[in-house]
Amino acid sequence: MRALVCQEFAPLDVLQVGELPDPQPAAGEVVIRVFAAGINFYDTLIVQGKYQVKPAAPFSPGGEVAGTVAAVGDGVNHVRPGDRVCAFTSYGGYAELCRAKASQTWPLPDAVGFEAAAAGLVTYGTAWFGLHDRARIKAGETVLVLGAAGGVGLAAVQIAKAAGARVIAAAGSAERLALCREHGADDVIDYTAADLKDAVKAATAGQGADIVVDVVGGAYTEAALRATAWRGRVLIIGFAAGEIPRIPANLLLLKGCEASGVFWDELMRREPQEAARQVAAVLAHFADGSLRPPVTAACGLDGAVEAMRALAGRKVAGKLIVLPQQ
């Protein structure tokens, strides 16, 4: 099969389109014919050996796929060949065929297209887990989203609005902030041009944000924490700025607030039934149109490296996807 191949952990530029053996399903596994695969920040890390998961080479990146079932292994009963599905695979998705754990493969409603599923499974699954599970979001609360124009950021904006929250979107340019408003943000902050803490305080009449969605890290985490309300919840999702922040514990004490890690991968491994429940909720919202995964651009395997490079350079708003069958 054709695939984007990583021969060794190295910079993105060494990735090349080539061939890998067709995968075969072991017991409890599914092989999927991939029609669409999402591009996520962790895909740019896994090929460099900088992610928690380190596959044996050669392999293909791409952990978020949608397509049809090509084959199933022993013990797989909830899907069968020909079924439309989406799956989280950690890697292997930038290929014509991909192997997935049955526990991380879910039926795809007919009303949800492959591209939408591949654009939204990880980002909306992560944001849903963070907001509804870890943060226990309630209607009327204020949610601050850092990196709000990215994949998880826009998902968080939409999910928070659907839950009845007020959303303050923080991003780094007027274009990105306009995109956030298109997806429902009530207020916006350019955190490259304004002091984040002061801007949030001003937007909330000094109260601060009840929930912070942080996919950026770096110096923005502490600034957002300082702008958190009493009993606030800070969701630590990623470090797109490149620096892992050190959180002053005294701020958690003084504000009576909490910082929670949001690691969707581990939810699926440790609590597959709860993960399946949350994925079903997200897909139901995709099907009825109340959540709308944004597809910024799509490319074939030949364009995947360039797309990954753009994402790693923080030059992308919304979501990029790969179409391996093209």
Side-chain angles (χ1 to χ4, degrees):
M1 65 175 182
R2 291 184 75 237
L4 183 67
V5 181
C6 178
Q7 295 287 0
E8 60 181 349
F9 295 136
L12 297 177
D13 292 343
V14 306
L15 297 173
Q16 292 185 336
V17 176
E19 293 187 349
L20 290 173
D22 289 359
Q24 302 299 320
E29 292 184 341
V30 176
V31 171
I32 299 169
R33 187 171 305 281
V34 182
F35 286 97
I39 298 179
N40 294 286
F41 188 67
Y42 64 77
D43 297 318
T44 70
L45 300 178
I46 199 168
V47 297
Q48 301 176 71
K50 296 180 179 180
Y51 192 58
Q52 294 92 330
V53 177
K54 293 180 171 56
F59 70 94
S60 177
E64 175 184 35
V65 303
T68 58
V69 176
V72 299
D74 292 342
V76 178
N77 301 310
H78 72 299
V79 295
R80 59 185 180 180
D83 284 355
R84 303 174 76 252
V85 295
C86 58
F88 178 74
T89 62
S90 293
Y91 59 92
Y94 302 163
E96 293 175 322
L97 296 167
C98 180
R99 190 170 66 184
K101 294 179 180 178
S103 62
Q104 294 175 193
T105 301
W106 304 281
L108 188 62
D110 290 341
V112 182
F114 294 131
E115 294 189 10
L121 177 61
V122 169
T123 52
Y124 285 75
T126 298
W128 187 281
F129 176 39
L131 288 166
H132 281 282
D133 187 314
R134 305 295 283 144
R136 309 170 302 280
I137 188 172
K138 298 186 292 291
E141 292 190 308
T142 297
V143 178
L144 169 65
V145 183
L146 307 186
V152 174
L154 287 177
V157 169
Q158 289 188 17
I159 290 170
K161 284 299 296 180
R166 175 193 176 197
V167 177
I168 302 173
S173 71
E175 179 184 15
R176 289 170 180 264
L177 294 176
L179 180 63
C180 294
R181 283 201 181 276
E182 288 176 16
H183 286 268
D186 298 289
D187 296 284
V188 296
I189 297 171
D190 183 343
Y191 48 29
T192 66
D195 180 276
L196 179 63
K197 182 194 74 172
D198 291 346
V200 174
K201 289 285 191 177
T204 59
Q207 296 300 306
D210 299 296
I211 299 172
V212 175
V213 178
D214 183 8
V215 300
V216 178
Y220 297 113
T221 299
E222 181 175 338
L225 178 56
R226 291 183 180 277
T228 301
W230 171 254
R231 290 184 180 270
R233 289 87 79 199
V234 178
L235 301 175
I236 306 298
I237 299 178
F239 313 107
E243 179 185 345
I244 298 176
R246 295 179 179 273
I247 295 175
N250 65 308
L251 293 179
L252 300 178
L253 184 154
L254 294 172
K255 291 176 172 289
C257 65
E258 61 192 68
S260 298
V262 182
F263 192 15
W264 192 61
D265 307 31
E266 200 66 17
L267 174 71
M268 287 181 289
R269 283 188 279 271
R270 292 178 179 269
E271 303 177 45
Q273 291 183 334
E274 175 59 22
R277 186 191 70 79
Q278 293 186 23
V279 168
V282 169
L283 293 177
H285 282 282
F286 288 175
D288 68 18
S290 55
L291 294 178
R292 298 171 292 108
V295 177
T296 303
C299 63
L301 290 173
D302 292 329
V305 172
E306 182 179 351
M308 293 173 72
R309 190 184 300 117
L311 180 65
R314 300 181 68 187
K315 299 177 180 178
V316 176
K319 190 66 177 283
L320 303 177
I321 60 173
V322 177
L323 308 176
Q325 306 298 326
Q326 288 191 353

